[in-house]
Amino acid sequence: MAQIPKKVEERLTVSVKRFQTILASAKARDVNESDTVIIVTDMLSEVFGYDKYSEISSEHAIRGTFCDMAINIEAKVQFLTEVKAIGVELKDNHVKQVVDYAANKGVDWVVLTNGITWRMYKVSFAKPIDQELVLEMDFLKLTIKSEDDVSALYILSKEGWQKQIMIDFAAQREALNRFFVTGVILSDPVLDVIRRELKRNCPDVKVKNDQVKTVLLNEVLKREVVEGEKAEDAHKKLSRASARLLRGRDLGEDASTPSTPTPVLSGNPLAQPSPNVQEKL
Protein backbone atom coordinates (compact mmCIF):
# COMPACT_ATOMS: atom_id res chain seq x y z
CA MET A 1 0.00 0.00 0.00
CA ALA A 2 1.30 3.44 -0.95
CA GLN A 3 1.83 6.02 1.76
CA ILE A 4 -1.35 7.93 2.51
CA PRO A 5 -1.01 11.72 2.12
CA LYS A 6 -1.31 13.72 5.32
CA LYS A 7 -4.20 15.79 3.97
CA VAL A 8 -6.17 12.57 3.35
CA GLU A 9 -5.48 11.31 6.87
CA GLU A 10 -6.61 14.64 8.31
CA ARG A 11 -9.80 14.58 6.22
CA LEU A 12 -10.59 11.02 7.30
CA THR A 13 -9.97 11.79 10.97
CA VAL A 14 -12.67 14.45 10.92
CA SER A 15 -15.16 13.03 8.44
CA VAL A 16 -15.34 9.35 9.42
CA LYS A 17 -16.51 10.02 12.97
CA ARG A 18 -18.98 12.65 11.74
CA PHE A 19 -20.60 10.34 9.22
CA GLN A 20 -20.69 7.42 11.62
CA THR A 21 -22.98 9.56 13.78
CA ILE A 22 -25.08 10.56 10.75
CA LEU A 23 -25.38 6.97 9.54
CA ALA A 24 -26.32 5.62 12.96
CA SER A 25 -29.09 8.21 13.23
CA ALA A 26 -30.32 7.50 9.68
CA LYS A 27 -30.38 3.76 10.37
CA ALA A 28 -32.39 4.28 13.55
CA ARG A 29 -34.91 6.34 11.55
CA ASP A 30 -34.82 3.81 8.67
CA VAL A 31 -34.54 6.56 6.05
CA ASN A 32 -35.60 5.83 2.48
CA GLU A 33 -33.41 5.39 -0.59
CA SER A 34 -33.59 9.04 -1.68
CA ASP A 35 -32.35 10.24 1.70
CA THR A 36 -29.62 7.57 1.67
CA VAL A 37 -28.47 8.83 -1.74
CA ILE A 38 -28.05 12.33 -0.25
CA ILE A 39 -25.92 10.94 2.59
CA VAL A 40 -23.79 8.82 0.21
CA THR A 41 -23.24 11.83 -2.06
CA ASP A 42 -21.97 13.83 0.91
CA MET A 43 -19.74 10.92 1.96
CA LEU A 44 -18.21 10.64 -1.51
CA SER A 45 -17.40 14.33 -1.27
CA GLU A 46 -16.40 14.85 2.36
CA VAL A 47 -14.89 11.44 3.17
CA PHE A 48 -13.53 10.26 -0.17
CA GLY A 49 -12.62 13.65 -1.64
CA TYR A 50 -14.60 13.82 -4.90
CA ASP A 51 -15.90 17.22 -5.97
CA LYS A 52 -19.65 17.18 -5.48
CA TYR A 53 -20.36 19.47 -8.41
CA SER A 54 -17.92 18.35 -11.10
CA GLU A 55 -17.01 14.73 -10.29
CA ILE A 56 -20.23 13.21 -8.93
CA SER A 57 -23.02 12.82 -11.50
CA SER A 58 -26.38 11.85 -10.04
CA GLU A 59 -28.89 9.66 -11.91
CA HIS A 60 -26.41 8.81 -14.62
CA ALA A 61 -28.30 7.82 -17.78
CA ILE A 62 -27.36 4.46 -19.32
CA ARG A 63 -29.34 3.18 -22.31
CA GLY A 64 -32.77 4.29 -21.17
CA THR A 65 -32.27 3.61 -17.47
CA PHE A 66 -30.43 5.33 -14.64
CA CYS A 67 -27.64 4.42 -12.24
CA ASP A 68 -27.67 6.46 -9.02
CA MET A 69 -24.23 7.99 -9.52
CA ALA A 70 -21.17 8.04 -11.72
CA ILE A 71 -17.78 9.20 -10.47
CA ASN A 72 -15.87 11.19 -13.07
CA ILE A 73 -12.24 12.26 -13.05
CA GLU A 74 -11.00 14.38 -15.94
CA ALA A 75 -14.32 13.88 -17.76
CA LYS A 76 -14.01 10.07 -17.72
CA VAL A 77 -16.28 7.75 -15.74
CA GLN A 78 -14.13 5.88 -13.22
CA PHE A 79 -16.82 3.87 -11.45
CA LEU A 80 -20.59 3.66 -11.10
CA THR A 81 -22.35 3.75 -7.73
CA GLU A 82 -25.72 2.20 -6.94
CA VAL A 83 -27.33 3.14 -3.62
CA LYS A 84 -29.97 1.22 -1.67
CA ALA A 85 -31.91 2.43 1.37
CA ILE A 86 -29.90 2.29 4.56
CA GLY A 87 -32.05 -0.48 6.01
CA VAL A 88 -31.86 -2.70 2.93
CA GLU A 89 -29.52 -5.69 2.97
CA LEU A 90 -27.35 -5.78 -0.15
CA LYS A 91 -28.15 -8.87 -2.21
CA ASP A 92 -27.04 -10.63 -5.37
CA ASN A 93 -29.77 -9.06 -7.50
CA HIS A 94 -28.51 -5.61 -6.48
CA VAL A 95 -25.02 -6.61 -7.60
CA LYS A 96 -26.38 -7.81 -10.93
CA GLN A 97 -28.21 -4.52 -11.38
CA VAL A 98 -25.14 -2.33 -11.01
CA VAL A 99 -22.94 -4.74 -12.99
CA ASP A 100 -25.44 -4.62 -15.85
CA TYR A 101 -25.17 -0.83 -15.76
CA ALA A 102 -21.38 -1.11 -15.96
CA ALA A 103 -21.54 -3.62 -18.82
CA ASN A 104 -23.75 -1.31 -20.87
CA LYS A 105 -21.48 1.65 -20.13
CA GLY A 106 -18.19 -0.22 -20.55
CA VAL A 107 -17.03 0.67 -17.04
CA ASP A 108 -14.68 -1.69 -15.17
CA TRP A 109 -15.58 -0.77 -11.59
CA VAL A 110 -18.82 -0.47 -9.61
CA VAL A 111 -19.73 0.37 -6.02
CA LEU A 112 -22.83 -0.94 -4.26
CA THR A 113 -23.73 0.64 -0.93
CA ASN A 114 -26.51 1.36 1.53
CA GLY A 115 -24.39 4.01 3.22
CA ILE A 116 -23.15 1.62 5.90
CA THR A 117 -21.95 -1.35 3.85
CA TRP A 118 -19.68 -0.43 0.94
CA ARG A 119 -18.71 -2.99 -1.71
CA MET A 120 -16.55 -2.44 -4.75
CA TYR A 121 -16.55 -4.93 -7.63
CA LYS A 122 -14.24 -5.41 -10.60
CA VAL A 123 -16.30 -6.16 -13.69
CA SER A 124 -15.04 -8.91 -15.99
CA PHE A 125 -16.16 -8.52 -19.61
CA ALA A 126 -16.24 -12.25 -20.29
CA LYS A 127 -19.15 -14.33 -21.55
CA PRO A 128 -21.21 -14.13 -19.45
CA ILE A 129 -20.34 -10.83 -17.75
CA ASP A 130 -18.96 -11.54 -14.28
CA GLN A 131 -17.69 -9.58 -11.29
CA GLU A 132 -15.25 -10.04 -8.43
CA LEU A 133 -15.72 -8.48 -5.00
CA VAL A 134 -12.52 -6.54 -4.37
CA LEU A 135 -13.31 -4.39 -1.34
CA GLU A 136 -15.95 -4.46 1.39
CA MET A 137 -16.26 -2.37 4.54
CA ASP A 138 -18.78 -1.62 7.27
CA PHE A 139 -18.54 2.14 7.77
CA LEU A 140 -19.97 2.04 11.29
CA LYS A 141 -17.19 -0.32 12.40
CA LEU A 142 -14.29 1.63 10.93
CA THR A 143 -11.69 3.20 13.20
CA ILE A 144 -9.04 5.68 12.18
CA LYS A 145 -6.64 3.91 14.56
CA SER A 146 -6.73 0.84 12.32
CA GLU A 147 -4.21 0.88 9.48
CA ASP A 148 -6.33 -1.59 7.49
CA ASP A 149 -9.44 0.57 7.82
CA VAL A 150 -7.63 3.72 6.74
CA SER A 151 -6.10 1.85 3.80
CA ALA A 152 -9.57 0.66 2.72
CA LEU A 153 -10.88 4.21 2.79
CA TYR A 154 -7.84 5.46 0.85
CA ILE A 155 -8.36 2.85 -1.86
CA LEU A 156 -11.80 4.28 -2.60
CA SER A 157 -10.73 7.92 -2.27
CA LYS A 158 -10.07 10.28 -5.17
CA GLU A 159 -6.38 10.46 -4.28
CA GLY A 160 -6.06 6.68 -4.18
CA TRP A 161 -7.97 6.35 -7.42
CA GLN A 162 -5.68 8.83 -9.18
CA LYS A 163 -2.71 6.71 -8.12
CA GLN A 164 -4.51 3.54 -9.30
CA ILE A 165 -4.27 2.00 -5.84
CA MET A 166 -7.43 0.00 -6.52
CA ILE A 167 -5.87 -1.70 -9.53
CA ASP A 168 -2.82 -2.79 -7.51
CA PHE A 169 -5.04 -3.91 -4.64
CA ALA A 170 -7.25 -5.94 -6.97
CA ALA A 171 -4.19 -7.62 -8.50
CA GLN A 172 -3.01 -8.61 -5.02
CA ARG A 173 -6.47 -9.94 -4.13
CA GLU A 174 -6.55 -11.95 -7.35
CA ALA A 175 -3.15 -13.50 -6.59
CA LEU A 176 -4.49 -14.62 -3.21
CA ASN A 177 -7.97 -15.70 -4.24
CA ARG A 178 -8.93 -19.30 -3.49
CA PHE A 179 -9.07 -20.40 -7.13
CA PHE A 180 -5.64 -19.01 -7.93
CA VAL A 181 -4.06 -20.48 -4.78
CA THR A 182 -5.70 -23.85 -5.53
CA GLY A 183 -4.24 -23.80 -9.04
CA VAL A 184 -0.77 -23.15 -7.62
CA ILE A 185 -1.15 -25.97 -5.07
CA LEU A 186 -2.10 -28.43 -7.81
CA SER A 187 0.70 -27.37 -10.18
CA ASP A 188 3.60 -29.74 -10.87
CA PRO A 189 6.28 -27.73 -9.02
CA VAL A 190 4.24 -27.71 -5.79
CA LEU A 191 3.25 -31.36 -6.15
CA ASP A 192 6.96 -32.17 -6.51
CA VAL A 193 7.72 -30.41 -3.23
CA ILE A 194 4.90 -32.20 -1.39
CA ARG A 195 5.98 -35.57 -2.78
CA ARG A 196 9.59 -34.97 -1.70
CA GLU A 197 8.48 -33.99 1.80
CA LEU A 198 6.31 -37.09 2.07
CA LYS A 199 9.21 -39.20 0.86
CA ARG A 200 11.54 -37.59 3.39
CA ASN A 201 9.14 -38.38 6.23
CA CYS A 202 8.23 -41.84 4.93
CA PRO A 203 11.32 -43.04 3.02
CA ASP A 204 10.00 -46.59 2.54
CA VAL A 205 6.77 -45.51 0.84
CA LYS A 206 6.60 -44.94 -2.91
CA VAL A 207 4.64 -41.80 -3.73
CA LYS A 208 3.73 -40.31 -7.10
CA ASN A 209 2.51 -36.82 -7.97
CA ASP A 210 -0.82 -38.18 -9.25
CA GLN A 211 -1.44 -39.80 -5.88
CA VAL A 212 -0.72 -36.58 -4.04
CA LYS A 213 -3.03 -34.75 -6.42
CA THR A 214 -5.82 -37.29 -5.85
CA VAL A 215 -5.66 -36.80 -2.09
CA LEU A 216 -5.67 -33.01 -2.47
CA LEU A 217 -8.65 -33.10 -4.83
CA ASN A 218 -10.73 -35.66 -2.98
CA GLU A 219 -9.87 -35.14 0.68
CA VAL A 220 -8.22 -31.73 1.22
CA LEU A 221 -9.55 -29.11 -1.19
CA LYS A 222 -13.20 -28.14 -1.56
CA ARG A 223 -14.77 -29.15 -4.87
CA GLU A 224 -16.03 -25.61 -5.45
CA VAL A 225 -12.46 -24.33 -5.86
CA VAL A 226 -11.33 -27.00 -8.31
CA GLU A 227 -14.28 -27.05 -10.69
CA GLY A 228 -16.08 -24.44 -12.76
CA GLU A 229 -15.26 -21.38 -14.83
CA LYS A 230 -13.36 -19.49 -12.14
CA ALA A 231 -11.09 -22.47 -11.51
CA GLU A 232 -10.43 -22.80 -15.24
CA ASP A 233 -9.77 -19.07 -15.50
CA ALA A 234 -7.24 -19.28 -12.67
CA HIS A 235 -5.44 -22.11 -14.47
CA LYS A 236 -5.26 -20.09 -17.69
CA LYS A 237 -3.79 -17.09 -15.86
CA LEU A 238 -1.20 -19.31 -14.17
CA SER A 239 -0.24 -20.84 -17.50
CA ARG A 240 0.17 -17.42 -19.11
CA ALA A 241 2.29 -16.23 -16.19
CA SER A 242 4.55 -19.28 -16.48
CA ALA A 243 4.93 -18.71 -20.22
CA ARG A 244 5.88 -15.06 -19.67
CA LEU A 245 8.45 -16.11 -17.08
CA LEU A 246 10.04 -18.57 -19.48
CA ARG A 247 10.15 -16.01 -22.29
CA GLY A 248 11.78 -13.50 -19.95
CA ARG A 249 14.45 -16.01 -18.96
CA ASP A 250 15.10 -16.92 -22.60
CA LEU A 251 15.58 -13.28 -23.57
CA GLY A 252 17.72 -12.38 -20.58
CA GLU A 253 20.15 -15.29 -20.57
CA ASP A 254 23.13 -16.06 -22.77
CA ALA A 255 22.25 -19.06 -24.91
CA SER A 256 25.67 -20.56 -24.25
CA THR A 257 25.19 -20.51 -20.49
CA PRO A 258 23.51 -23.61 -19.06
CA SER A 259 20.65 -22.88 -16.74
CA THR A 260 18.26 -24.68 -14.45
CA PRO A 261 14.83 -25.07 -16.04
CA THR A 262 12.05 -22.97 -14.58
CA PRO A 263 9.12 -25.00 -13.24
CA VAL A 264 6.15 -24.60 -15.57
CA LEU A 265 2.54 -25.67 -15.18
CA SER A 266 1.91 -28.84 -17.11
CA GLY A 267 -1.60 -29.56 -18.35
CA ASN A 268 -4.54 -28.39 -16.25
CA PRO A 269 -3.67 -28.66 -12.55
CA LEU A 270 -7.37 -28.53 -11.70
CA ALA A 271 -8.23 -31.59 -13.77
CA GLN A 272 -8.87 -34.93 -12.10
CA PRO A 273 -5.92 -37.34 -12.40
CA SER A 274 -6.21 -40.37 -14.61
CA PRO A 275 -8.58 -43.02 -13.15
CA ASN A 276 -6.04 -45.81 -13.81
CA VAL A 277 -3.83 -44.59 -10.96
CA GLN A 278 -4.15 -47.49 -8.54
CA GLU A 279 -1.35 -47.01 -6.00
CA LYS A 280 -2.27 -45.56 -2.60
CA LEU A 281 -0.16 -43.54 -0.23
Side-chain angles (χ1 to χ4, degrees), residues 64-218:
T65 186
F66 292 91
C67 182
D68 286 320
M69 277 175 275
I71 305 302
N72 306 276
I73 298 179
E74 297 179 357
K76 181 180 179 181
V77 176
Q78 303 297 321
F79 61 90
L80 301 176
T81 304
E82 181 67 13
V83 182
K84 299 302 174 186
I86 199 164
V88 172
E89 180 184 355
L90 303 182
K91 297 182 179 179
D92 289 345
N93 62 309
H94 300 145
V95 178
K96 184 180 184 305
Q97 179 185 7
V98 70
V99 169
D100 285 346
Y101 289 149
N104 286 323
K105 187 69 176 179
V107 177
D108 292 332
W109 299 90
V110 296
V111 168
L112 178 63
T113 182
N114 58 12
I116 295 174
T117 301
W118 289 71
R119 295 175 183 168
M120 175 162 265
Y121 296 87
K122 175 72 168 65
V123 180
S124 173
F125 291 91
K127 292 184 180 182
I129 298 293
D130 199 4
Q131 75 284 329
E132 187 74 25
L133 178 62
V134 175
L135 178 68
E136 181 173 14
M137 55 185 168
D138 183 327
F139 203 90
L140 289 180
K141 294 180 180 179
L142 296 176
T143 172
I144 296 301
K145 295 180 180 179
S146 167
E147 184 177 338
D148 289 342
D149 288 353
V150 174
S151 294
L153 291 165
Y154 181 52
I155 286 170
L156 195 53
S157 73
K158 176 181 176 179
E159 295 84 357
W161 198 265
Q162 288 175 316
K163 292 184 178 180
Q164 297 189 319
I165 300 299
M166 174 58 75
I167 295 174
D168 295 338
F169 181 74
Q172 182 182 23
R173 283 289 300 268
E174 181 179 56
L176 293 174
N177 78 45
R178 53 185 177 166
F179 301 101
F180 207 76
V181 171
T182 298
V184 171
I185 290 172
L186 295 174
S187 66
D188 286 342
V190 176
L191 291 173
D192 286 339
V193 172
I194 295 174
R195 176 178 53 77
R196 286 197 299 268
E197 285 300 302
L198 290 172
K199 184 68 174 176
R200 186 171 66 85
N201 285 277
C202 306
D204 297 329
V205 178
K206 188 177 181 180
V207 178
K208 295 181 180 179
N209 280 13
D210 279 348
Q211 294 172 299
V212 176
K213 186 174 181 179
T214 298
V215 172
L216 290 172
L217 284 168
N218 297 334

Side-chain angles (χ1 to χ4, degrees), residues 12 49 52 57 61-62 105 111 122 130 137 151 163 176 196 222-223 229 234 237 240 255 262 270 274 279:
L12 294 176
K52 186 185 296 187
S57 300
I62 301 174
K105 187 69 176 179
V111 168
K122 175 72 168 65
D130 199 4
M137 55 185 168
S151 294
K163 292 184 178 180
L176 293 174
R196 286 197 299 268
K222 293 182 179 180
R223 186 163 297 278
E229 292 183 7
K237 290 178 180 178
R240 289 196 294 268
T262 302
L270 303 178
S274 173
E279 286 188 75

